[in-house]
Amino acid sequence: MDPEEFRRAGYAVVDWITDYWATLGQRPVTTQDPPGTVVAALPDAPPPEGEPVAAVLADLDRLVLPHLTHWQHPSFFGYFPANTSGPSVLGDLVSAGLGVQGMLWSTSPAATELETVLLDWLADLLGLPERFRSTGTGGGVIQDSASSATLVATLAALHRASRGRWRSTGLDRRYRAYTSTEGHSSIEKAARIAGLGSDGVRTVEVNPRTRALDPAALRAAIRADLAAGEVPAIVVATIGTTSTTAVDPLPEIGAICAEYGVWLHVDAAYAGSAAICPELRWTHAGLEYADSYCFDPHKWLLTGFDCDAFWVADAGELVEALTVLPEYLRNTASETGAVIDYRDWQVPLGRRFRALKLWFVLRWYGAEGLRAHVRSGVALAGGFADRVRADDRFEVVAPHPFALVCFRLVAGDEASAELLARVNGTGRVLLTHTRVAGRYTLRLAVGSPQTRPEHVDEAWHLLARTATEVLADLPAPA
Amino acid sequence: MDPEEFRRAGYAVVDWITDYWATLGQRPVTTQDPPGTVVAALPDAPPPEGEPVAAVLADLDRLVLPHLTHWQHPSFFGYFPANTSGPSVLGDLVSAGLGVQGMLWSTSPAATELETVLLDWLADLLGLPERFRSTGTGGGVIQDSASSATLVATLAALHRASRGRWRSTGLDRRYRAYTSTEGHSSIEKAARIAGLGSDGVRTVEVNPRTRALDPAALRAAIRADLAAGEVPAIVVATIGTTSTTAVDPLPEIGAICAEYGVWLHVDAAYAGSAAICPELRWTHAGLEYADSYCFDPHKWLLTGFDCDAFWVADAGELVEALTVLPEYLRNTASETGAVIDYRDWQVPLGRRFRALKLWFVLRWYGAEGLRAHVRSGVALAGGFADRVRADDRFEVVAPHPFALVCFRLVAGDEASAELLARVNGTGRVLLTHTRVAGRYTLRLAVGSPQTRPEHVDEAWHLLARTATEVLADLPAPA
């Protein structure tokens, strides 16, 4: 494809995306297709000869669009949002067009240096402790996801807990990771990948009302493991748990980690974005204890997946844990020690130039524009929670400091699950569910830049109307 | 950014990329800047208010472009190529614009199903064994990189070697991984991440001439470990090693793995692409023994980073090793068992719709177009090797079955290193180096779709001319 062919096809794809966004609200949020629908519609083999881009775009309309879950839809309220925005898409397009690979500083200096600066910008915006800035021993890096951030934090923690033996001899004792019963599944996955097994994760009880980790229970778990000859390696505290956005008490957790010399990783994947607003930054109290911290601009900060921002207080420790230096990667710049080679901060060797999408987003919206986006989500969620509370068939089941509201029908699990299935079945909204203290709970998360008050209103009216039907259909209590 | 603003800015970015590609060959391939150049030129903080896209594009020209290593440059011959192409960029643009997240089948069915079908298409194109197709117990998935593919293969292998205990109890014995001394650094990194430590990797001797793994040495290493009570878990064989593109003998290695019940992972990161050409598919003999296999369309198949294609013969085993199922990810489709949830095939939870860029590439070029690209690289590299051989100051130091040529000055390491530094210092080419049997060796890898015969000719003339200068400047032998 020569440059002029690219220009023409590029315009066509830009037009296609523009039309998609302009009409997105009119589509069903999800498909109701049975599995195999797309497989059955695709040919068995690639074409022997090339085809024009227009043919692929036509197939996108015919074979792909009707069979997606539209995460950018204004009525997508599921999981946590995975927002994107025009400037993010354009930054990513520049990255794809440049096609540079920033595994080493020397393999594209600007890719590394822009990333370093942007992570410092973000640290400022979020009010992170000084120790995470690249100007000292710390620094930030873009990971693909909070899962990978938790994994590399776990590895650095094992390296530290083993006093540097882990790197060469592997796991020589029983190491333990700690998180609350509400911690994300990626914490267990990281522990399993690191060879601790799921048994290596101690899930610590939470306060039944706030769903936040109970520091006394954490201390007890660490002491019990120490008494049994096991080695506490890492505590993962959560700011904004996945089920209910609970906020673990960092000051108390941090003090315990300091006392026992345990690595503290703070997973703020979803709620970290809120800290760009000073009035929502209370969640970061105690963060000065943390050895590492991450949040996902790809969740709530208008930057397309994948963009997790991860910081460590001691970059040297992380690099020591992860670096492997074969001859074919040796270069003069690395040997001076004056540059960052981000390959040593992550699992894969290669890296895309992901800083570009973040740069486009930060510059297009500016700090105030991003704050307005977060505040809009919090306000819309707050209004939704008020409506739920005002209807006595429903209850709000947990605090909602951010833009997620957890609620259920007072009538119980079966009614709540049926309500969710029916509203999602309309294709007009997507909500997802969790269990809170064992009880089936619906989650409504606001986050799309396209979501306006009328979309949240419509979701509420659909829920309220459908609740009437569900409750009427329920068998009478025995 | 509303849809019409996106359209206008999108055209501008497409124009910017078009101009970049049209003028790329006139730029220096690399920058000669000292570290910190870009950091010093960037502001200390993000803008408080938003800025137009034009301002960011101007800064791209001013602050980013002059400080990159241009991986798509026609005279980029370093490392292995990390090619991209117009259709790949466009497919990635569609992916960014849709912004869907395919962690589960249900979170975007078409994203999962298109990926499954495309990996079957690729399996056909490469002539992979039937056991890797999704129609049986196997299947393929896109990973970010071969590093991650090796890691998940290692994890599944540990799960198998522990008879299923690894998942819950972690590493309970000393497990071992095997590769040749020429295996990629990501094999040690994966072993370290998995808790085996770098000591857990046995690096097996190679045939001194071919640089391919010596099967007798592998057998001896496995037997010695078994005798010591250790558990051989995985062998990683390489098709196309990073230093010299050596091809390990799969039939012999596979038979040993079968005999001892060890997982065989085949890392064809670079050279796998060559198998789309029947005359280059000899490398795949013995692949029926493999439990897993990967190659990188993002290296030599015109698909932008990140796109590693990874297959397993038994997907159930991989999923069992990696799955964690919290309530908030439960859904009806997954519970039927009739769908693939690719989150369980990889380290991160979230996933971009990377199948789109592969789809655009396979359809734009067609199978024959891709074969022509590979054959062009092989022919250009062959022509270069002929020139090296014809100049008795140089020697070709290893077989070059693909598009990488390894060579050096007969005068020795110092002269060869100086030659590399001087040619790279011109900014007109980029080559990298390795050591072969301890001796400093230059690598010239052809792969960019923009590379034409004149670029390889120019590289040769620059090398030959600079060699004259280097040899003249060398101190006379004592």
Side-chain angles (χ1 to χ4, degrees), chain A residues 173-475:
Chain A
R173 288 179 290 171
R174 297 292 291 175
Y175 294 94
R176 297 295 180 191
Y178 305 81
T179 191
S180 87
T181 53
E182 301 285 318
H184 192 263
S185 57
S186 56
I187 301 163
E188 178 184 332
K189 191 163 176 175
R192 208 191 284 170
I193 291 169
L196 308 188
S198 36
D199 297 350
V201 183
R202 303 299 192 198
T203 51
V204 175
E205 284 306 307
V206 295
N207 174 307
R209 191 187 58 80
T210 64
R211 316 303 301 166
L213 182 144
D214 173 3
L218 173 64
R219 178 185 296 274
I222 289 175
R223 293 178 68 151
D225 284 339
L226 285 170
E230 293 170 352
V231 184
I234 184 170
V235 172
V236 182
T238 310
I239 296 181
T241 58
T242 307
S243 275
T244 68
T245 65
V247 177
D248 288 343
L250 290 187
E252 293 83 355
I253 295 170
I256 294 169
C257 289
E259 182 181 342
Y260 292 97
V262 182
W263 185 290
L264 175 59
H265 175 61
V266 176
D267 174 6
Y270 164 69
S273 295
I276 62 170
C277 302
E279 73 276 17
L280 293 169
R281 200 175 292 158
W282 55 270
T283 56
H284 280 177
L287 195 53
E288 62 278 8
Y289 285 111
D291 295 286
S292 54
Y293 170 91
C294 80
F295 87 105
D296 290 344
H298 70 228
K299 282 198 167 67
W300 197 11
L301 217 57
L302 299 169
T303 309
F305 189 91
D306 49 357
C307 186
D308 168 85
F310 172 69
W311 287 267
V312 283
D314 182 350
E317 213 167 11
L318 177 65
V319 169
E320 192 175 282
L322 291 181
T323 194
V324 184
L325 183 56
E327 184 67 28
Y328 47 78
L329 296 179
R330 284 185 189 272
N331 67 89
T332 312
S334 298
E335 278 159 22
T336 63
V339 300
I340 293 175
D341 291 328
Y342 277 131
R343 72 179 185 104
D344 293 328
W345 297 49
Q346 64 176 22
V347 171
L349 171 58
R351 324 188 73 230
R352 287 151 52 232
F353 195 172
R354 287 175 295 202
L356 286 172
K357 60 185 172 188
L358 198 51
W359 198 36
F360 272 67
V361 166
L362 291 172
R363 294 190 63 178
W364 170 266
Y365 288 101
E368 283 305 323
L370 294 173
R371 287 184 192 114
H373 170 66
V374 166
R375 285 170 180 147
S376 150
V378 173
L380 288 174
F384 178 82
D386 289 342
R387 287 173 175 269
V388 174
R389 273 194 211 90
D391 185 327
D392 59 12
R393 299 171 302 168
F394 287 89
E395 57 184 345
V396 172
V397 305
H400 51 92
F402 309 110
L404 171 75
V405 181
C406 290
F407 62 101
R408 61 190 166 212
L409 283 170
V410 176
D413 288 1
E414 193 188 342
S416 295
E418 180 64 21
L419 173 62
L420 181 68
R422 289 199 196 177
V423 297
N424 284 348
T426 66
R428 289 171 47 204
V429 295
L430 181 73
L431 283 74
T432 54
H433 84 286
T434 187
R435 283 186 184 266
V436 177
R439 292 184 58 191
Y440 196 97
T441 298
L442 285 78
R443 299 168 73 264
L444 180 137
V446 181
S448 166
Q450 290 209 15
T451 303
R452 294 182 305 274
E454 57 266 36
H455 298 108
V456 179
D457 285 349
E458 194 202 336
W460 167 250
H461 291 304
L462 179 63
L463 283 158
R465 203 164 55 239
T466 310
T468 303
E469 296 164 13
V470 166
L471 294 171
D473 292 350
L474 267 193

Side-chain angles (χ1 to χ4, degrees), chain B residues 222-293:
Chain B
I222 289 175
R223 293 177 69 150
D225 284 339
L226 284 171
E230 292 168 354
V231 185
I234 184 169
V235 172
V236 182
T238 310
I239 297 181
T241 58
T242 306
S243 275
T244 68
T245 66
V247 177
D248 288 342
L250 290 187
E252 293 82 353
I253 295 170
I256 295 169
C257 289
E259 183 180 341
Y260 293 98
V262 182
W263 185 289
L264 175 58
H265 174 62
V266 176
D267 174 5
Y270 164 69
S273 295
I276 63 170
C277 302
E279 73 276 17
L280 293 168
R281 200 174 291 158
W282 54 269
T283 57
H284 279 177
L287 195 53
E288 61 279 7
Y289 285 112
D291 295 286
S292 54
Y293 170 90

